[in-house]
Amino acid sequence: MSKLISKKKPTYPITEALSKYLNHHGRNIKIPIYYDDLMRFQGAIKIYDKNGDDTLWVSVYYSEFETEEINLSLKRMYSILHSDGSDTLLPYLNIDQIDFCTFGNSKPFRVKVRNILNDNYLFLYIKKADASRIYGLELEHLLSPNHINFLVHGNTLIEEHISGIPGDDFIENNLDKCSERDKKEIAKEFVKFNERCFVRLLGDMRSYNYVMVLTHDFDRIQYRIRGIDFDQQSYEGNARVYLPQFLKENNKLVKMTSELLQEASIQQYKNEERSLLAKRATSEKNRLKELMDCMLKDRISTPKKIKELKMDLFELTGDVNFKKSRNMGQILKSALDFIIRNYKNENPYIISDR
């Protein structure tokens, strides 16, 4: 694994251009609390799972003087993220718990916000803002089947919770219990997820960095894989990092897919996903162009990794645009242009005024 993914990715600052983009699309907010404020906790208690294993999360607490101010700011964050930002919700909200993750690059805080009228609750995640992660979140919002809700305040990133069964948990405890039909559905979704990550250069989709979302249809369960960690957007040089099939944590899914799906089916699902990506990129072309203009001027990787990735993709596709790319923004633009050029649906049955 260490040969594929760097041990630690640096944090890249938000440029002025990216900040203007976030302003334009309502992602920037004003609120009197930052990630660093939450780091001033007085103490912490380890959190264990139902089997008694350490989750690597701790529940934190603050001084009496700071608790009231922090809780009020967190309630306002919730109101801005999920409502109209007014204070009318605040009397009905309670901050039940603030947890801190001691594992990984982002070291997020997880905040449990409960409605005291009915005990329904949601989670917020608060992290250090990183340009890579913001590009990843925006690209997920524009190019995947999933909409992403997040906000930025200075060097602080606020994300909504993405519901689902953690991939590693699902693989270990649920996969073997699935019917043959369900396994084929999961295999199909894994192929499409694999292709989606590769085209948009989202790396490090190990099983604990995505969730399995189950939707009950009238005669079956539909499965969808959703990424939940986006900080490895367009950073690594090895093209295999962007293909979940090459990450050892996904070996069980890879083996199942190769056993259940014929190569012709796998290629069909890859082509379907490329077509869908081309359609989404075309339908969101104005906003996507704004985002790519920021990324084209940004530095979110190292010269060595940029050179390695562009040559990997050039050898794979034969597209000289990859070879000419000078940064990760240009490499990603070349990838999206390649997909739009080769997989955009020109269905003769669709009526268009173009």
Side-chain angles (χ1 to χ4, degrees), residues 5 225 245 265 292:
I5 297 175
I225 301 175
Q245 71 184 79
S265 293
M292 293 310 303

Side-chain angles (χ1 to χ4, degrees), residues 46 48 68 73 80 82 93 116 130 137 161 202 228-229 255 266-267 279 299 308 318:
K46 283 187 177 182
Y48 297 92
E68 185 175 350
S73 295
I80 296 168
H82 289 288
L93 301 177
I116 62 175
D130 170 35
L137 287 163
H161 175 67
L202 175 62
I228 58 173
D229 192 344
K255 183 173 184 293
I266 291 173
Q267 192 57 51
K279 287 179 181 178
R299 184 181 71 85
E308 181 184 4

